Amino acid sequence: MRKKIPAEKLFVFDLHPTTKFFLDIAKIPADENVFVFNNRLPYTKLLAEECVALSITRLKFFPIAYDDMPEKEIFSRLQEADYIIGIECLTGEQMLLSKKYRPHLKANVKIISGKRAASVPSACKLLADIAEFYQAELSKEKNSRESIQTGEKIIRILKNASSKAVIGQIGGTSYAAENFSGEETFDEQLSVLKYLREKFLRLCSP
């Protein structure tokens, strides 16, 4: 992609399991075997390492990687599993609960599915650049009714987006935008855009 798109215009979202996913895993009783379901072994290892990094250390993690493991071994591990964790798009009827794998699951197996959302740093990198772009564009325009209306719209969108980014990572489904009266002057709008950009850049730091 870098051959076609300048680096400063290329934004890659880091899709990361939400906090709720890890909280649900932490509720599994200590010393249980937990099977990590994914298509590739490296991701099963990464997910287990993230659990350990979050102090979920009293569980034993085992991979089930359907593209990287023999089918016989996959079926054997599915038959053994009391707990299976994985990303939502792979733990539903399209894969784990498909006709191929469902017959090998225990009737009482506990499946914990994780939703993914763009990480706050990767989302805020995009929002910071959007704020910078409109700050520069509006600075070129005159203090007109049209430019003020544009500023109002962009600020409201950016504030809502920042709330979505944070709450989305936590695993929530609703958000509350910061108060914005819509009565700010043109210069005040430029100041707000500058402030938002600086705020997003701070959130970009890991």
Side-chain angles (χ1 to χ4, degrees), residues 46-192:
L46 177 64
L47 203 51
E49 288 175 348
E50 287 191 84
C51 289
V52 173
L54 292 169
S55 299
I56 306 174
T57 57
R58 298 187 65 187
L59 301 174
K60 301 173 185 177
F61 295 96
F62 299 90
I64 300 179
Y66 57 84
D67 282 344
D68 291 344
M69 294 170 59
E71 200 169 73
K72 184 178 179 180
E73 185 178 2
I74 293 171
F75 293 157
S76 175
R77 293 196 173 194
L78 289 176
Q79 291 165 1
E80 180 186 347
D82 291 315
Y83 295 92
I84 299 176
I85 65 173
I87 301 306
E88 188 177 52
C89 61
L90 298 180
T91 53
E93 294 183 357
Q94 291 185 341
M95 192 53 64
L96 180 58
L97 297 181
S98 66
K99 293 180 180 179
K100 182 176 182 178
Y101 297 120
R102 185 193 287 268
H104 301 280
L105 297 174
K106 290 183 177 181
N108 61 342
V109 63
K110 174 68 174 179
I111 300 173
I112 299 178
S113 302
K115 292 185 178 181
R116 291 193 297 178
S119 68
V120 173
S122 64
C124 285
K125 176 64 173 70
L126 174 61
L127 296 177
D129 278 42
I130 292 174
E132 181 181 27
F133 173 81
Y134 279 102
Q135 181 188 354
E137 289 299 304
L138 289 175
S139 296
K140 299 174 186 176
E141 298 183 15
K142 294 180 179 180
N143 185 352
S144 63
R145 178 176 178 81
E146 290 75 16
S147 61
I148 290 177
Q149 288 177 340
T150 299
E152 290 175 0
K153 181 178 179 181
I154 296 303
I155 290 171
R156 187 170 289 110
I157 289 173
L158 289 174
K159 287 188 173 184
N160 288 348
S162 64
S163 297
K164 283 185 176 181
V166 174
I167 293 180
Q169 188 59 63
I170 294 172
T173 56
S174 62
Y175 64 95
E178 296 180 45
N179 292 329
F180 178 67
S181 68
E183 299 177 355
E184 281 78 359
T185 66
F186 182 74
D187 289 338
E188 287 173 339
Q189 287 182 358
L190 293 179
S191 296
V192 171

